[in-house]
């Protein structure tokens, strides 16, 4: 089974060019929205993110991108094919950390844009109420959600996307599946560590199964 | 206090040209989606809807139309100004009955189109889970939701609309209000029988208050 | 496949001893809570319920009874074994109509009591927000939810029960299943017309799968 | 306006007797549920929690304790009177951090027990879906939720309590308010930084306003 990109240290989670010492002097105001170019404010260097991951739960968003018909019903759900740390290819969803002083909506928009590109045209959720909260633990067996890197608390949302989705960065491809088609169970079976369960729960909540 | 259009017999709720006798011969197939022009299948004549209203709860949808910004956050909520049976003007939301063999999504689309026009471009909800269910009783004081006509169970949804909203039929105007502005409480105060409470609850659920 | 009790005319849905003529004289006040013994106010005779079922969607509640551990997590889900109209035995959930002038909470309490007995000690939901809304149509194939009798709109709730559950009336037995055990899929497969899907969705929403 | 206890460094958030060096050697297994006596596993010393609070959002739970009637409807909502860092008394809700390797249910149980005592008999939620997510920022004005200590992401739940509630630790008193009574707005007005808004939203979601 491949190691998926959301189970390895994520390049987005640290900024190798910024030392922790420099970071410590940053004031809340530096993290206001609209920060200057380069890495977004809130990124941590590798030492800081690794320490945090041993010390407290990390807040995540997880997104099931969907195509909807003109009545709002889900016609397709999107999954990502990614290369894991071990060089194998795996299937996953859009997932990423909420950065310091970033709103949930900003985290959703940033992570969708990172994986699907700038032209995906997501309809971000009207309410902050997630359809579920998935708790990933670094110890296998505590829950169906497992993440060897960390204890993560993932707020899960279904997000309709109306535009063109182009794989970005380490995402090799965006593959869509019909919720009522034969391939759904195959896709879910290829999504380890609980992400397949989140996909199934999203489609269940949407009334699409 | 004006009598609002959702408290008087609704022209949409019956079809004066179709007798109950004719209706009784209709088979389920006649109610399939895509029925021919004129009145939608599922309308009842005045006698039938009045009998039903004395006998069992009537399933409704109630919609809070909203404008959202590019991050999905609610920037404005829409209300309707209508002329009531008594000739007075009142403020309300989009509300209407779910017809026989009509899906909730179809009822949402039909009622939004009826009140806001064909160009409103609503983003119908991804999930059938409503943000609340409001129970209107014909007896004052049973709950904050009162409807002298009937016992109605209203599934309540927030629906972003991206297009042009044009008042239709008995709707005189569509007026928008900033959730954080001074006018919100005024608008809510003008919406009797619990509809103001639904507006407030919608904005609360959306994290917009 | 057996015909389940929620697919045949339900004795609870009419009151053979009360003619429609008598019913017509009933005022809203007669339907207030705390009605006198015998049939609950709001019952319809067979002619009235059958007419209503051809004319408009019928409001239902559907309940997944669960056992929870001391942390609130679902340890078991309850299903009902019932004898259908054809004499065959089928598996289903707690389901019943919302009667005229009955609150959703009252409908939940009445239907749970009818199927599980007076000592089930249900913890009725704090919020009216259902985990889903299931739309049953009398036409096969419109949705996964099928009810040959009617178009029903079922508000679905998970309800923890702490007491003794005794099968009542046409319920032969209450059988419990471990959400993570081998029998769950067997049980779901024995629940036709979408009720198995509601059980699965309930457990998914509860984070118990 | 008093500084509330959830706005000052929380004794629960660090363990002065355990240095960061010791903590760094702890393995995931040490954080499994059922840790030995003394401080719960997952507590951080003051240096570690203060660093984390400058670096990433902190996962919180926030609880509105309620009394419910036999039908599950909210009859009273509980608030806490606490002494803040400045010696003034303030009103707030139950709120606390989710510790490393702690489930949301465990965090709810621990924080309810800490504030209401061991005999409160909470009915923990069946589903992890919160009624809302409140985002507290250390910069005033970013949202209505403000926390000078940190960026906190609070999963908000309504929890019925059936037992005796005894104020604990820095909680001076537990005061209950009728959702439909005159005192509600007074209580909400005494709850700064967005906690009053969470109380109002909880009661709105519960259909109790």
């Amino acid at each position: 089974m491949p190691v998926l990109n959301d189970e390895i240290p994520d390049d987005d989670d640290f900024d190798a060019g910024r030392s922790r010492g420099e970071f410590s002097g940053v004031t809340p105001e530096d993290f206001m929205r609209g920060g200057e170019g380069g890495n977004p404010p809130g990124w941590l260097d590798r030492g800081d993110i690794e320490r945090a991951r041993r010390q407290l739960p990390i807040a995540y968003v997880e997104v099931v991108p969907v195509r909807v018909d003109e009545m709002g019903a889900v016609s397709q759900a999107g999954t990502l094919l990614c290369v894991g740390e071990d060089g194998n290819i795996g299937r996953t969803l859009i997932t990423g950390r909420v950065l310091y002083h970033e709103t949930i909506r900003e985290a959703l928009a940033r992570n969708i844009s990172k994986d699907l590109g700038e032209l995906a045209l997501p309809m971000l959720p009207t309410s902050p109420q997630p359809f579920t909260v998935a708790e990933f633990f670094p110890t296998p067996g505590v829950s169906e959600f497992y993440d060897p890197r960390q204890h993560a608390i993932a707020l899960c949302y279904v997000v309709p996307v109306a535009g063109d989705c182009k794989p970005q960065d380490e995402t090799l491809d965006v593959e869509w599946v019909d919720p009522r088609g034969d391939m759904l169970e195959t896709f879910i079976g290829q999504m380890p560590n609980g992400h397949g369960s989140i996909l199934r729960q999203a489609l269940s909540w949407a009334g699409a199964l």
Side-chain angles (χ1 to χ4, degrees), chain A:
Chain A
M1 194 176 67
V3 175
L4 298 178
N5 76 323
D6 60 338
E7 298 164 21
I8 58 170
D10 186 350
D11 283 344
D12 275 18
D13 283 338
F14 64 89
D15 173 359
R18 190 168 58 191
S19 79
R20 188 184 135 218
E22 288 169 340
F23 191 85
S24 299
V26 175
T27 68
E29 287 66 30
D30 295 325
F31 293 97
M32 293 299 293
R33 272 159 287 181
E36 76 286 25
N39 289 321
W43 282 17
L44 300 178
D45 67 29
R46 186 179 286 267
D48 279 328
I49 187 66
E50 289 187 350
R51 182 188 305 102
R53 284 175 163 165
R54 288 191 309 268
Q55 293 191 337
L56 73 172
I58 310 295
Y60 265 69
V61 289
E62 182 143 352
V63 173
V64 180
V66 296
R67 299 290 194 187
V68 297
D69 65 19
E70 74 283 0
M71 301 301 285
V74 171
S75 55
Q76 289 190 305
T79 63
L80 308 180
L81 285 183
C82 305
V83 180
E85 208 173 29
D86 58 2
N88 289 327
I89 295 175
R91 189 181 301 279
T92 189
L93 294 168
I94 299 170
T95 178
R97 199 160 73 74
V98 183
L99 302 180
Y100 182 69
H101 222 288
E102 185 181 48
T103 67
I104 291 171
R105 292 179 190 287
E106 288 166 341
L108 289 170
R110 179 176 56 80
N111 281 286
I112 292 169
S113 174
K114 177 171 84 95
D115 283 333
L116 301 185
E118 296 293 337
L119 305 176
L121 300 181
M123 280 290 307
L124 295 180
T126 308
S127 166
Q129 187 182 38
F131 70 86
T132 197
V133 179
E135 304 176 71
F136 291 86
F137 291 98
T139 310
V142 174
S143 82
E144 67 177 325
F145 304 108
Y146 170 61
D147 187 337
R149 296 174 300 171
Q150 62 191 344
H151 173 193
I153 297 178
L155 308 180
C156 301
Y157 299 92
V158 173
V159 177
V161 292
D164 288 331
C165 295
K166 295 242 172 82
Q168 305 284 313
D169 297 342
E170 71 267 38
T171 303
L172 297 180
D173 204 0
V174 182
E175 290 193 340
W176 299 89
V177 62
D178 178 343
R180 294 188 171 88
D182 294 338
M183 290 304 294
L184 178 65
E185 287 305 317
T186 303
F187 273 42
I188 287 175
Q190 292 169 347
M191 301 169 74
N193 298 337
H195 298 285
S197 176
I198 291 173
L199 173 56
R200 190 199 306 279
Q201 188 167 346
L203 296 173
S204 169
W205 172 80
L209 287 186

